[in-house]
Amino acid sequence: MEETVVNETLLGKLVAEARHARANAYAPYSNYRVGSAILTAKGAIYTGCNVENASYGACLCAERNAIGKMVAAGDSKPIACAVVTGGKAPGSPCGICRQVLVEFTRDMPVVLVAETPTGDVRRDTSLAELMPDVFELDTSD
Ligand code: THU
């Protein structure tokens, strides 16, 4: 099967899907709603939103929610990621989410978008830029 090539049309679709997932965010404690979408090599898109909890430590980030759906669907090769947040500037994935993303790929385009009252603020980055010097598990000794 042909591998999907990331282009601006697909990135735009990914942002739209992340925006859609953000609308379903469960964030009654922070009111900070996040949506995420992950595109994989076979052209599938998996979305996630943040899911908060009264026991704050149990909160789930949007990016990890999308990764969980990808794995549950039997897919494993992310090639692009979009994250849509509120705020004046786009939110950047937290450290735990970066660690979870690099489990499946070392690099991919990451599009971060803040939905503001005056329109979108977009920042294009990459996983390699966000997460250099990745931890390697070496159990050989
Ligand atoms: N959050 C995400 O969904 N993704 C991140 O990368 C950072 C933070 C969520 C978790 C929590 O529900 C809210 O944002 C505030 O931290």
Side-chain angles (χ1 to χ4, degrees), residues 25-36 48-53 56 59-65 83-85 91-98:
Y26 178 73
Y29 304 101
S30 72
N31 263 321
Y32 187 76
R33 307 165 73 82
V34 186
S36 175
C49 60
N50 54 334
V51 182
E52 298 189 342
N53 192 275
Y56 293 175
C59 289
L60 176 64
C61 289
E63 298 90 324
R64 276 178 287 148
N65 193 349
V83 182
V84 178
T85 65
S92 191
C94 78
I96 300 173
C97 287
R98 294 177 193 204

Side-chain angles (χ1 to χ4, degrees), residues 94-136:
C94 78
I96 300 173
C97 287
R98 294 177 193 204
Q99 179 66 32
V100 169
L101 291 169
V102 296
E103 181 76 15
F104 297 95
T105 184
R106 291 301 167 92
D107 197 17
M108 64 179 162
V110 178
V111 181
L112 306 173
V113 170
E115 280 191 313
T116 81
T118 51
D120 283 357
V121 179
R122 173 169 163 170
R123 173 186 163 208
D124 283 72
T125 181
S126 70
L127 189 56
E129 184 175 67
L130 293 172
M131 188 68 169
D133 199 10
V134 171
F135 167 68
E136 305 275 359

